[in-house]
Amino acid sequence: MEPLTYDLPSIGSLGSTIPSLIAIVTAVAIFVLRRCSIAKTIYFFRKSSKAKSVDEIVEEETGTVSNLQDLKILKARHRVAATLSELIEKDGAGAWPPKANHDSWPNALRPYKDIYLELNPLLPSADPSLDDLVNEERRNKYRSLMRKLFAERVNIAQVETLLAAAEAGNWDVFPRDVYNGVYCAVAVCRHAYRWATIPVVRVAQREKVVDFPPELDAPWPYLQRNFGVAAESGNNTANVLHNFDESGERIYKINVGMSELVRNSEETFFRMFYDLEVLAFPIYLEMVRAVISFNENDKTTTIHHLEAINFRLRHLLRIFYDNLIESRVARSVWLSYVQGFQGWGVGKFINGQFVKYDGLSGNHVLFFQVLDAFLGMDRYLTDENMDRYIPARQRELCLAMKKYSFRNKLQAPENAKIEEELKKIVNHVKVFRAAHRTRVMPYLEQPAPERLVMTAGKSVLEGPSTKDTKEALKVLDEMLVNRLKLTV
């Protein structure tokens, strides 16, 4: 390889060449800084994580501003960076995972939080009945009290005025982090009203349509339009990510007053999904950098970013490996006390047609959708389900990652190292999906005599001719197997 040489300008021509010199120096500086930044990221992350738990790594990543500053610079260079930046600035209220303010609310909206917390101890039952009449009476009492409190404390006109102001872009009146907190409160109130007792019981599962209080129906279209989703149910963003305040405290719990085993299992399970997005954000940024580097034909830098993704991905997946275990999330309580609340399984008539909605699903988690898109894989959710449950800006990020995926552009021999790093990422995902199937099925197969076989994301799976739980869950197991086969 020939050495780089430069012809220095004469003194007389220096004035006309200063802009060119500045451009050269700037380009070299950016090149060096980018290389140093990559090396430092990998070195310090490896050094700091050697003897630390995933919880400690998550704590270190939370609140880091350097990545956000980098993204602001990158968004002018590529569409995929601009798409990620818009998601964070708008839906995330300037952060990711999204910021959610659960305290500094306008007075008109405070009852949503207060009523949920006030009725919280009445929702779970330590000894669920198997009698439909007993369960229906319990559910009717809860719903009647919630209706009464909403009617007494919520001024619907004032609520709609605030939401209309936000819809018109007046975020000074209704800051985005407050909006996220309110979205969560309304969503969990709707889920609490839908089931009206925990564990979920058969009589509730048999419902087809629920008549919600007007105080819960009025704000919902505004909130859903803002995030670009169409379902009557909540979603992973509203119910899980927005349920953590800026200090990392989870606000709206399900099993207040239950045993420590139940409460700890609930807390561990939902915190997994929040912590996942904490560790996901630096990976999103590495994906953006890899796309930009490859687009600029800087293959060495592309490889460095892919190496960083591989290293960070191993730590992210440990969140599941370390927490979805019996000692952290007890099988004996997960199905009845943790999973059920996030289900849905009811609908409404639209233009004379009945439309049923499902609840939350692991398929709705942003990280794995973005990762699949980055790898050029087809998504596993239908267009209809994407529109119902995945916020619009999250969908746009997935589409951008898929559009600019470079995995199918590596035919040339000089791309062998890039291809090798991408295969490592795919292998991590394959191992995870195989392990996930092995771990999750025993949780779903646990006995829950008070209810029909159900998953939160697929609703009731049990029919009149269903022989047993394994048969009812067969469709879900086949879906997991098929997803694993497609991870190539």
Side-chain angles (χ1 to χ4, degrees):
M1 180 181 292
E2 294 182 5
L4 292 174
T5 60
Y6 295 98
D7 292 326
L8 295 176
S10 66
I11 297 297
S13 62
L14 189 59
S16 61
T17 59
I18 284 177
S20 298
L21 284 172
I22 291 174
I24 291 170
V25 171
T26 301
V28 171
I30 291 173
F31 176 82
V32 171
L33 286 171
R34 281 166 56 189
R35 294 294 173 86
C36 291
S37 177
I38 295 163
K40 284 167 63 180
T41 295
I42 297 173
Y43 172 76
F44 284 117
F45 194 74
R46 284 176 176 166
K47 183 179 179 182
S48 65
S49 62
K50 278 182 179 178
K52 294 183 179 180
S53 68
V54 170
D55 287 344
E56 290 171 320
I57 295 168
V58 168
E59 186 175 353
E60 287 180 354
E61 293 286 2
T62 304
T64 301
V65 298
S66 59
N67 285 333
L68 292 170
Q69 292 169 344
D70 289 349
L71 184 59
K72 288 179 180 179
I73 297 170
L74 292 173
K75 70 179 183 179
R77 293 175 59 188
H78 199 281
R79 177 59 193 162
V80 72
T83 305
L84 176 60
S85 180
E86 184 175 16
L87 169 67
I88 292 166
E89 289 174 10
K90 294 183 178 178
D91 288 9
W96 200 263
K99 282 194 295 188
N101 183 327
H102 292 274
D103 296 315
S104 305
W105 292 12
N107 289 333
L109 299 168
R110 291 181 183 277
Y112 289 100
K113 176 182 178 181
D114 295 343
I115 290 170
Y116 182 91
L117 297 179
E118 189 173 326
L119 297 183
N120 205 171
L122 304 178
L123 187 64
S125 171
D127 300 301
S129 174
L130 302 182
D131 188 315
D132 285 353
L133 292 177
V134 171
N135 287 328
E136 189 65 359
E137 181 180 4
R138 175 182 172 85
R139 295 178 70 243
N140 285 338
K141 286 181 178 179
Y142 181 90
R143 283 180 170 178
S144 295
L145 183 53
M146 182 175 268
R147 274 189 175 274
K148 177 176 179 291
L149 293 178
F150 272 125
E152 291 174 350
R153 301 183 190 179
V154 173
N155 184 315
I156 294 177
Q158 292 179 357
V159 169
E160 289 192 296
T161 296
L162 285 164
L163 291 167
E167 194 165 58
N170 192 353
W171 294 104
D172 291 335
V173 174
F174 203 159
R176 290 185 185 274
D177 61 337
V178 173
Y179 196 99
N180 289 347
V182 171
Y183 188 31
C184 177
V186 176
V188 296
C189 281
R190 287 174 66 84
H191 277 254
Y193 190 89
R194 187 271 175 265
W195 296 114
T197 189
I198 294 296
V200 164
V201 292
R202 286 188 301 269
V203 67
Q205 290 174 300
R206 294 190 183 109
E207 287 181 318
K208 301 298 182 186
V209 177
V210 173
D211 180 24
F212 287 94
E215 295 81 9
L216 290 178
D217 268 344
W220 197 242
Y222 289 94
L223 295 164
Q224 294 294 73
R225 282 197 300 270
N226 178 71
F227 287 94
V229 281
E232 290 291 290
S233 55
N235 52 66
N236 183 63
T237 299
N239 293 39
V240 179
L241 299 184
H242 289 173
N243 200 4
F244 290 84
D245 65 16
E246 291 187 56
S247 67
E249 181 183 353
R250 187 162 162 267
I251 305 301
Y252 304 104
K253 304 181 192 306
I254 302 168
N255 294 292
V256 171
M258 294 295 100
S259 69
E260 185 177 1
L261 181 69
V262 170
R263 289 184 283 108
N264 287 347
S265 294
E266 175 193 338
E267 188 70 16
T268 299
F269 184 73
F270 291 114
R271 188 169 292 277
M272 281 195 307
F273 294 95
Y274 184 83
D275 288 350
L276 183 149
E277 289 298 327
V278 171
L279 293 190
F281 176 58
I283 299 179
Y284 297 150
L285 198 55
E286 295 292 357
M287 291 177 184
V288 168
R289 289 167 173 155
V291 168
I292 293 173
S293 298
F294 187 85
N295 188 60
E296 295 175 351
N297 202 32
D298 186 349
K299 294 177 182 179
T300 301
T301 305
T302 303
I303 291 167
H304 288 322
H305 290 308
L306 294 176
E307 288 174 339
I309 291 171
N310 265 304
F311 186 79
R312 287 183 177 277
L313 181 58
R314 291 199 297 273
H315 285 276
L316 181 147
L317 295 177
R318 275 179 54 196
I319 292 173
F320 287 101
Y321 297 145
D322 293 353
N323 288 289
L324 197 60
I325 54 177
E326 176 64 25
S327 61
R328 299 280 288 157
V329 179
R331 293 177 184 176
S332 60
V333 302
W334 178 82
L335 193 65
S336 292
Y337 288 95
V338 180
Q339 180 241 38
F341 180 89
Q342 306 296 354
W344 197 254
V346 293
K348 65 179 181 179
F349 286 91
I350 301 175
N351 298 324
Q353 297 291 320
F354 181 72
V355 178
K356 181 177 77 71
Y357 298 98
D358 295 319
L360 278 64
S361 168
N363 289 335
H364 301 169
V365 172
L366 177 62
F367 175 72
F368 293 107
Q369 293 186 63
V370 173
L371 184 58
D372 282 353
F374 177 74
L375 294 171
M377 297 180 191
D378 292 333
R379 69 183 187 213
Y380 42 89
L381 292 177
T382 64
D383 289 346
E384 180 179 73
N385 284 339
M386 290 291 287
D387 291 343
R388 287 181 176 181
Y389 310 114
I390 310 302
R393 292 185 181 91
Q394 294 183 25
R395 300 197 302 267
E396 290 166 5
L397 178 61
C398 294
L399 289 172
M401 283 290 185
K402 179 69 180 296
K403 179 178 179 179
Y404 295 105
S405 173
F406 50 84
R407 193 174 168 211
N408 63 348
K409 302 175 182 178
L410 304 175
Q411 292 80 11
E414 61 266 25
N415 292 323
K417 179 60 176 173
I418 294 177
E419 190 170 10
E420 179 186 337
E421 289 300 322
L422 286 169
K423 283 181 179 178
K424 289 179 184 177
I425 296 172
V426 173
N427 285 337
H428 284 310
V429 180
K430 288 177 71 172
V431 170
F432 166 74
R433 285 184 171 146
H436 178 66
R437 177 193 173 215
T438 301
R439 291 198 187 191
V440 76
M441 294 308 294
Y443 280 90
L444 291 166
E445 291 168 356
Q446 289 296 302
E450 73 279 355
R451 69 188 238 176
L452 302 170
V453 178
M454 176 190 88
T455 69
K458 292 290 182 184
S459 300
V460 175
L461 300 174
E462 181 179 345
S465 61
T466 304
K467 295 178 183 178
D468 53 29
T469 300
K470 282 187 178 294
E471 182 182 337
L473 292 171
K474 186 178 179 182
V475 63
L476 178 63
D477 189 48
E478 288 174 349
M479 182 194 76
L480 294 174
V481 170
N482 186 54
R483 192 61 198 153
L484 179 58
K485 289 178 180 177
L486 295 174
T487 306
V488 292

